[in-house]
Amino acid sequence: MTTQSLSGRSPQEHYETLYSALLEADMYNIAQADKEALLLPLFKLLHDWHLTRSVHYHRLFGHTESPEEALAELPYLAVRLFKQLALKSISEDQLFRVLQSSGTTAQVPARVFLDKDTSARQSKALVRIMQHFIGKQRLPMLIIDSPAVMDKSEFSARAAGIQGMAFFGRKPVYALNNDMSLNEEAICAFAKQHNNTPVLLFGFTFMVWLHFVKALQRRNLKIALPKGVLVHSGGWKKLSEQQVDNSTFKQTLKSLCGLSHIYNFYGMAEQVGSVFVECEAGHLHAPLLADIVIRDPISLAPLPIGKVGLIQVLSVIPTSYPGHSILTEDKGQVLGVDDCSCGRKGQYFAVLGRLPKTEIRGCSDTGDKA
Ligand SMILES: [Zn+2]
C-alpha cells in the first residue's frame, strides 16, 4: 500500500514538499485545528511509508488504516519496542548512525536507526525550535557534562543532545572533568570572561543538578552569569527522589549563578529533534512538527484536556525508522489548547513522571494492534 499523490509525485517527494513547508512556518503560531489539518497528510504518508519499508511496522499495523480525520487515529508503537526490535525502514547501506539511549545499566538500550536524511532533519528541526527561545546568535557555551561523553564509540543520546545544542554555541567549555568532578578552573575562567554578555549553558537535568549545582554548593562557590540562558532536558525522576522540583531547580540556579532564563524541554531519544520546550508560564509546548495525545493507561482511549494519562508523542521527522508515533511510559496531561498566557498556539501540557512498572504491564506492547 503506497500513497501516490494526484500530481504523480512519489510519496517521498510529496513528504519532502509538505515537510519543508512546515519547517519554514512559525513553530508556535498556528492554531491547533489548522495544525492538525497540516499534519494529517504527513502522518498518512509516514504511516504508509513505514508499512512498505519496516517489516515490524507492517506486521503490527498492516491492517490498520491510515488516519482520516484526527491525529489520535494514528497507530503507535510502545516505546520499549525500540529496545526489543531493530525498527528500521532503510537498508543496511543507507544506515548512517545508530543512536543508543542512555538507559540504566540494568536495561537493554533502545536503538534508533538513522540515515543521513533523518539525521539532518533532526538537527534542522532542533535549530528551528530552539532559535525561537534562545535566538539565532551563536553564544559562548558552557556544556554541563564531561568531554568524555563525546568519546564513546557508541553514539549515546547524551552525546547526540550535546552535539545538537552545540550548533547554538561557540567556543564550548566543559564544566566537568572526565571523572564528573567540577572543573572549577574552567568554570571560573568562563564566568570571568562572560559575566556581562549573553552565554548559553546546556546539560541534562540530573547532570546539572547532581554534578554542577551540588558541587558548587559543596564548595561554597557562586558564579555570576546574569545574561546566561540555561537549556536542560531529561527526566525529573532522579531529582524527584531528592525532592527537587522545577521551581526549586530554577531558584537554586538563580541564586548560585544569577541565571533567570532557564528552559527545560521534554524529548525522547526515539524522536530526537522534535522537542517540547517549556515556556515562560512553565508549560511544555508542542511545536508545529510534533504533537501529543494523552491516552488512558488501561483502555488506551484518547483523553480530553485535564485528564492524566500516558503521553503519546508524534513527530513528522523520522523516515529511516518507524518512530513518528510512540506511546511513552510517561504520565502527563494536556493543560490547554491555543490559549497559553505566553501567546503560543497549539497544545500545551505537563509531564507528571513515569508510570510505575506494575501499571505498565496492563497496557499492550504494540498499541492498537488491529
Ligand atoms: Zn506557554
Side-chain angles (χ1 to χ4, degrees):
M1 185 164 62
T2 53
T3 305
Q4 199 72 38
S5 70
L6 293 173
S7 61
R9 286 175 303 174
S10 71
Q12 183 162 5
E13 286 165 337
H14 196 187
Y15 167 83
E16 293 292 351
T17 308
L18 292 175
Y19 183 85
S20 307
L22 274 194
L23 193 67
E24 292 309 311
D26 191 310
M27 286 289 125
Y28 297 99
N29 201 25
I30 296 181
Q32 186 65 22
D34 299 332
K35 173 178 169 175
E36 287 212 23
L38 287 172
L39 291 183
L40 204 56
L42 264 164
F43 281 114
K44 279 187 194 189
L45 281 165
L46 285 167
H47 175 70
D48 292 342
W49 175 273
H50 294 298
L51 277 183
T52 58
R53 286 169 177 81
S54 161
V55 179
H56 294 298
Y57 193 83
H58 189 269
R59 213 181 61 216
L60 294 167
F61 304 121
H63 302 288
T64 310
E65 290 299 316
S66 53
E68 289 302 322
E69 287 178 3
L71 293 179
E73 294 169 19
L74 195 67
Y76 40 82
L77 289 168
V79 68
R80 63 178 131 151
L81 286 181
F82 286 85
K83 295 177 180 169
Q84 294 162 359
L85 302 172
L87 293 164
K88 52 185 156 183
S89 303
I90 46 171
S91 58
E92 282 302 318
D93 60 321
Q94 292 171 296
L95 187 64
F96 170 59
R97 173 179 277 168
V98 182
L99 193 65
Q100 305 248 18
S101 81
S102 51
T104 58
T105 45
Q107 289 175 326
V108 186
R111 286 173 304 161
V112 181
F113 298 88
L114 302 176
D115 64 357
K116 285 197 167 154
D117 285 350
T118 299
S119 181
R121 240 180 267 124
Q122 290 179 336
S123 311
K124 283 184 194 156
L126 186 70
V127 167
R128 286 285 290 128
I129 294 165
M130 294 310 304
Q131 271 180 347
H132 179 91
F133 292 89
I134 62 181
K136 287 191 176 177
Q137 202 190 352
R138 293 183 81 144
L139 302 171
M141 184 175 185
L142 185 66
I143 299 169
I144 303 179
D145 212 314
S146 89
V149 69
M150 306 306 283
D151 298 340
K152 305 247 169 75
S153 57
E154 280 165 352
F155 205 66
S156 69
R158 234 167 85 200
I162 291 169
Q163 195 185 61
M165 284 303 298
F167 179 86
F168 297 94
R170 56 186 170 87
K171 294 192 223 157
V173 171
Y174 285 86
L176 308 180
N177 297 307
N178 283 345
D179 64 358
M180 305 305 287
S181 63
L182 198 68
N183 188 342
E184 196 174 318
E185 200 182 331
I187 293 168
C188 291
F190 184 88
K192 198 175 167 192
Q193 196 184 350
H194 304 294
N195 65 3
N196 209 18
T197 47
V199 290
L200 175 66
L201 293 83
F202 175 72
F204 287 88
T205 311
F206 71 97
M207 308 282 280
V208 174
W209 186 261
L210 294 182
H211 300 292
F212 185 69
V213 169
K214 291 306 232 181
L216 287 172
Q217 286 175 332
R218 271 198 304 274
R219 295 177 193 209
N220 220 352
L221 197 65
K222 286 193 177 192
I223 56 170
L225 294 167
K227 294 192 176 169
V229 176
L230 169 65
V231 176
H232 68 103
S233 175
W236 288 93
K237 188 170 169 277
K238 284 182 187 163
L239 296 194
S240 55
E241 284 164 6
Q242 301 201 9
Q243 312 285 311
V244 181
D245 60 14
N246 199 0
S247 74
T248 310
F249 185 89
K250 284 183 178 172
Q251 280 162 19
T252 310
L253 274 148
K254 186 166 174 74
S255 76
L256 279 178
C257 309
L259 290 166
S260 50
H261 297 286
I262 299 181
Y263 295 103
N264 174 34
F265 70 76
Y266 173 65
M268 321 274 299
E270 293 80 4
Q271 283 185 352
V272 169
S274 56
V275 294
F276 303 91
V277 185
E278 185 192 271
C279 73
E280 299 75 10
H283 303 144
L284 296 166
H285 279 267
L288 188 56
L289 304 170
D291 217 335
I292 63 156
V293 176
I294 302 293
R295 292 191 178 272
D296 183 282
I298 306 300
S299 73
L300 299 174
L303 293 175
I305 294 175
K307 295 283 183 196
V308 175
L310 286 176
I311 303 172
Q312 176 192 352
V313 286
L314 306 174
S315 167
V316 293
I317 294 174
T319 52
S320 62
Y321 66 99
H324 56 294
S325 174
I326 299 172
L327 188 66
T328 73
E329 292 171 358
D330 297 323
K331 278 192 296 188
Q333 65 184 145
V334 173
L335 298 169
V337 180
D338 295 334
D339 61 357
C340 184
S341 59
C342 73
R344 292 178 184 86
K345 298 278 175 33
Q347 295 199 92
Y348 55 99
F349 65 104
V351 178
L352 306 165
R354 275 275 166 111
L355 201 70
K357 276 266 180 303
T358 46
E359 284 182 58
I360 292 171
R361 279 194 213 116
C363 62
S364 156
D365 251 4
T366 54
D368 66 350
K369 186 172 161 184

